């Protein structure tokens, strides 16, 4: 039930913003899996915590760590190399990769055609450079520049998110079983 709102939002946003129509299903899958992964992480934190107050204190810390460890932009480059393996547990990393891959895979950029359309609509002429200049030729080029897979990235991210959902659900179950709850 939690996934309904993000998926509806993603569908409406995809249509209104003119995002990659071919990647829409993967975008919606990524949003649904991210919701499930975040929910099961919350269940795990709640199960592991001795009280609800402690769970409410730990939850935001876990999410901040997930953001920092899953950083794909380099904003948190000061994270030690020894923690790179832990980054595969980040919900944010896989959601970010899934959204980027669903949008950029199969996308072609044509700045000259965009300039022609703007002129045809009476807009001001834009100066654009060719594919070797400021505009990358394809979405796969953008993904490779970011160090992400150029094909099947959304599928890889979806599998990782599904594994995180299963792992968190299993952890929650085991903790509650051990505690006798």
């Amino acid at each position: 039930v939690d996934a309904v709102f993000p998926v509806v939002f993603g569908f409406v946003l995809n249509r209104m913003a003119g995002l990659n129509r071919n990647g829409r299903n993967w975008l919606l899958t990524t949003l649904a899996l991210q919701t499930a992964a975040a929910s099961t992480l919350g269940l795990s934190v709640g199960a592991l915590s001795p009280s609800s107050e402690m769970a409410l204190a730990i939850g935001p810390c876990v999410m901040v760590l997930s953001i920092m460890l899953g950083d794909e932009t380099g904003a948190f480059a000061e994270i030690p190399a020894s923690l790179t393996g832990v980054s595969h547990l980040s919900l944010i990393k896989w959601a970010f990769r899934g959204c980027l891959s669903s949008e950029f895979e199969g996308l072609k950029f044509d700045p000259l055609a965009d300039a022609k359309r703007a002129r045809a609509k009476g807009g001001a002429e834009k100066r654009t450079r060719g594919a070797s200049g400021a505009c990358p030729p394809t979405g796969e080029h953008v993904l490779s520049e970011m160090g992400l897979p150029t094909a099947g990235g959304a599928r890889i991210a979806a599998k990782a998110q599904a594994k995180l959902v299963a792992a968190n659900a299993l952890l929650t179950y085991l903790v509650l079983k051990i505690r006798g709850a």
Side-chain angles (χ1 to χ4, degrees):
V1 175
D2 288 343
V4 171
F5 296 110
V7 169
V8 169
F9 173 77
F11 182 79
V12 170
L13 177 70
N14 186 281
R15 303 271 312 218
M16 288 180 66
L19 297 177
N20 188 357
R21 195 176 309 167
N22 297 329
R24 183 179 300 147
N25 290 340
W26 281 116
L27 175 68
L28 300 179
T29 300
T30 297
L31 294 175
L33 285 170
Q34 177 62 17
T35 303
S39 295
T40 57
L41 177 63
L43 289 173
S44 294
V45 168
L48 289 166
S49 301
S51 68
S52 58
E53 292 83 16
M54 184 73 83
L56 289 172
I58 293 172
C61 297
V62 170
M63 283 310 297
V64 167
L65 285 174
S66 183
I67 292 168
M68 291 178 69
L69 292 173
D71 177 45
E72 296 284 341
T73 64
F76 299 110
E78 67 273 0
I79 292 176
S82 60
L83 293 178
T84 55
V86 181
S87 72
H88 294 299
L89 300 175
S90 171
L91 308 179
I92 304 303
K93 172 184 184 158
W94 297 114
F96 187 71
R97 282 187 173 201
C99 289
L100 283 176
S101 294
S102 67
E103 177 58 24
F104 284 113
E105 283 181 19
L107 203 58
K108 305 264 186 268
F109 299 108
D110 188 359
L112 299 176
D114 292 341
K116 288 177 187 175
R117 276 196 293 274
R119 277 196 309 267
K121 291 182 178 181
E125 179 159 345
K126 298 178 183 175
R127 290 183 169 248
T128 57
R129 292 187 230 168
S132 62
C135 184
T138 64
E140 285 78 7
H141 182 78
V142 173
L143 290 171
S144 70
E145 288 293 318
M146 294 183 76
L148 300 176
T150 57
R155 178 178 280 114
I156 293 167
K159 285 180 181 178
Q161 285 178 308
K163 288 177 185 176
L164 287 172
V165 169
N168 280 321
L170 180 63
L171 176 64
T172 301
Y173 173 77
L174 291 175
V175 170
L176 291 176
K177 190 77 167 167
I178 289 169
R179 289 191 175 172

